[in-house]
Amino acid sequence: MRLENKVAIITGAGSGQGRASAKLFAKEGAKVIIAEWNEENGKKVEQEINDAGYEALFIRTNIAEEENVLELVNEVMDRYGKIDILFNNAAIGFSARSKYKMAPLLETPLEDWNNILGINLNGTYLMSKHILPIMINQKSGNVVNNSSLNGLLGVTGADAYSAAKGGIIALTRVMAVDYGKYNIRVNCICPGAIDTPMISEVLDDPEIAKNYEAGPLGRVGKPEEIANAALFLSSDESSYITGLIMPVDGGWSAI
Ligand SMILES: NC(=O)c1ccc[n+]([C@@H]2O[C@H](COP(=O)([O-])OP(=O)(O)OC[C@H]3O[C@@H](n4cnc5c(N)ncnc54)[C@H](O)[C@@H]3O)[C@@H](O)[C@H]2O)c1
């Protein structure tokens, strides 16, 4: 029970890494808020967790809409009176189903650039902006941001996505420096290729899958492996760690 009685908000918890984290955090004793814009998936995860005898609450949220974020924060405060953990996990990514094409800079229209930055970077900014004051007031809090290897390395072909993820890394460091004095820790995970709906279509292409599997551990990661890292960073086991940019990538960034 490493998160006993903690209140944890996880954005994008209707799928992939967020879903795996929601299940693990709940099992470890947290009351988990699923802040997700996909109602069907959010409700499904809420039910899975509650049916297993743990505690979860789905609140439909678009992290890119400030009003929506404020509504979420107010609802959580009304219900639980505190927020211990924020896992800024939601993002739009590589799926061909995505409305926005992932492309190199010269092929990225301004509209796509703005939309990708508007969700992936602004969402982390807005959630943090409205939850940090509560954590400052509590004199405790824990923020984990989900970036990507794309934020660390020059991964070709998704320039707006990479810029957003790089922004999240910079934001993590400055938030850790600015808010450490309030006993708030801020850390960041940089996943490598993780088998979730975000990249499932990409993984269906054997050539691309082969490339993703070419890291030192020779395989793509599982969402549960990111959840384990998020749990470590959210729990007291990492009590002296803040400002960490942690690749969880099967060794890709070591090459
Ligand atoms: N899968 C990978 O290979 C990989 C690699 C590196 C980083 N990441 C990052 O990991 C995080 C989790 O992604 P995943 O792999 O689980 O993908 P996923 O697509 O399975 O899950 C992302 C979730 O975020 C939600 N979401 C998107 N925009 C939202 C918004 N505006 N408001 C609320 N919810 C929103 C989606 O509905 C979805 O449920 C993302 O930040 C992603 O960029 C993924």
Side-chain angles (χ1 to χ4, degrees):
M1 297 294 270
R2 283 176 281 181
L3 301 181
E4 196 166 9
N5 290 325
K6 300 287 186 195
V7 175
I9 298 182
I10 304 180
T11 66
S15 174
Q17 301 168 43
R19 172 173 175 264
S21 302
K23 290 177 138 184
L24 182 62
F25 283 25
K27 206 168 142 205
E28 291 291 338
K31 301 168 203 318
V32 174
I33 292 92
I34 299 158
E36 164 67 60
W37 68 356
N38 182 319
E39 189 154 358
E40 194 186 333
N41 287 348
K43 280 187 171 159
K44 213 186 287 171
V45 177
E46 177 189 50
Q47 180 140 17
E48 282 169 359
I49 293 174
N50 290 332
D51 285 354
Y54 306 116
E55 193 168 340
L57 174 69
F58 163 65
I59 301 178
R60 190 172 188 281
T61 313
N62 179 354
I63 57 161
E65 294 289 339
E66 188 161 24
E67 279 306 307
N68 236 216
V69 170
L70 280 166
E71 281 162 20
L72 162 82
V73 172
N74 289 337
E75 196 172 333
V76 175
M77 286 306 282
D78 284 350
R79 191 160 172 139
Y80 295 110
K82 64 170 187 164
I83 299 170
D84 300 299
I85 296 162
L86 167 62
F87 184 17
N88 278 315
N89 163 76
I92 52 168
F94 284 90
S95 163
R97 285 187 304 264
S98 169
K99 205 162 131 194
Y100 312 109
K101 295 288 155 279
M102 296 295 157
L105 187 141
L106 292 184
E107 289 147 44
T108 302
L110 181 60
E111 193 192 346
D112 285 11
W113 175 273
N114 284 339
N115 283 322
I116 292 165
L117 273 282
I119 293 174
N120 293 3
L121 185 56
N122 292 11
T124 296
Y125 151 72
L126 285 173
M127 290 292 299
S128 305
K129 180 173 188 247
H130 293 296
I131 291 177
L132 280 171
I134 291 162
M135 293 179 166
I136 289 171
N137 206 28
Q138 293 168 176
K139 296 206 169 43
S140 72
N142 204 316
V143 181
V144 178
N145 294 326
N146 207 346
S147 175
S148 169
L149 274 196
N150 284 60
L152 276 179
L153 309 174
V155 182
T156 180
D159 295 16
Y161 179 86
S162 297
K165 293 300 186 179
I168 288 172
I169 290 172
L171 197 58
T172 299
R173 290 201 175 102
V174 76
M175 281 167 65
V177 170
D178 285 346
Y179 301 105
K181 59 176 173 286
Y182 301 105
N183 191 28
I184 296 168
R185 297 191 294 113
V186 187
N187 292 294
C188 180
I189 297 171
C190 291
I194 308 297
D195 190 2
T196 70
M198 183 175 279
I199 64 161
S200 56
E201 291 163 27
V202 178
L203 289 177
D204 285 344
D205 180 329
E207 272 311 301
I208 299 177
K210 204 165 70 191
N211 186 30
Y212 279 167
E213 287 158 8
L217 293 186
R219 63 174 177 84
V220 299
K222 300 191 254 306
E224 291 75 17
E225 292 175 304
I226 302 300
N228 283 330
L231 171 63
F232 169 67
L233 292 174
S234 300
S235 75
D236 287 345
E237 284 169 19
S238 60
S239 54
Y240 200 49
I241 298 177
T242 194
L244 177 71
I245 310 303
M246 184 164 93
V248 183
D249 63 350
W252 252 111
S253 55
I255 298 174

